Amino acid sequence: MYRNQKLLEAVRESPCQHCGREDGTVVAAHSNQGRDGKGRSLKANDYRIAALCFTCHAELDQGRAMSREERLNRWEDAHRGTIGWLFENKVIGVL
């Protein structure tokens, strides 16, 4: 498992990658897919995260309005946005 607390903390500075909200509730929402390392009591690897505000994160994890495919697509879109934000803001880069 890859863990990086600094990366998780840095994501809190990002706007929500779904709704754009910057309200202090943005966190690193881990993938819920087994292919990303998610297990019964395990979170996915810390590089499989999406910057989501409390509302969007809760809707994705506990909401009932979306199908499984819609949830996956929403998370993947937010993940791509998060990785882009991390590079564009020089939080991560290539050495």
Side-chain angles (χ1 to χ4, degrees), residues 3 24-25 33 41 45 50 60 67 73 79 83:
R3 296 289 177 238
T25 69
Q33 300 296 308
S41 61
N45 291 295
L60 193 68
S67 69
N73 288 336
H79 172 68
I83 298 303

Side-chain angles (χ1 to χ4, degrees), residues 32-79:
N32 289 327
Q33 300 296 308
R35 68 182 181 200
D36 294 324
K38 168 75 172 145
R40 283 192 170 175
S41 61
L42 292 174
K43 288 190 178 283
N45 291 295
D46 283 353
Y47 55 79
R48 289 295 284 164
I49 53 174
L52 294 173
C53 69
F54 176 83
T55 302
C56 291
H57 191 181
E59 184 179 328
L60 193 68
D61 282 353
Q62 285 92 34
R64 300 185 189 270
M66 290 182 281
S67 69
R68 181 181 174 142
E69 182 178 354
E70 290 170 322
R71 287 176 198 276
L72 178 59
N73 288 336
R74 182 173 293 182
W75 187 89
E76 289 289 347
D77 288 345
H79 172 68

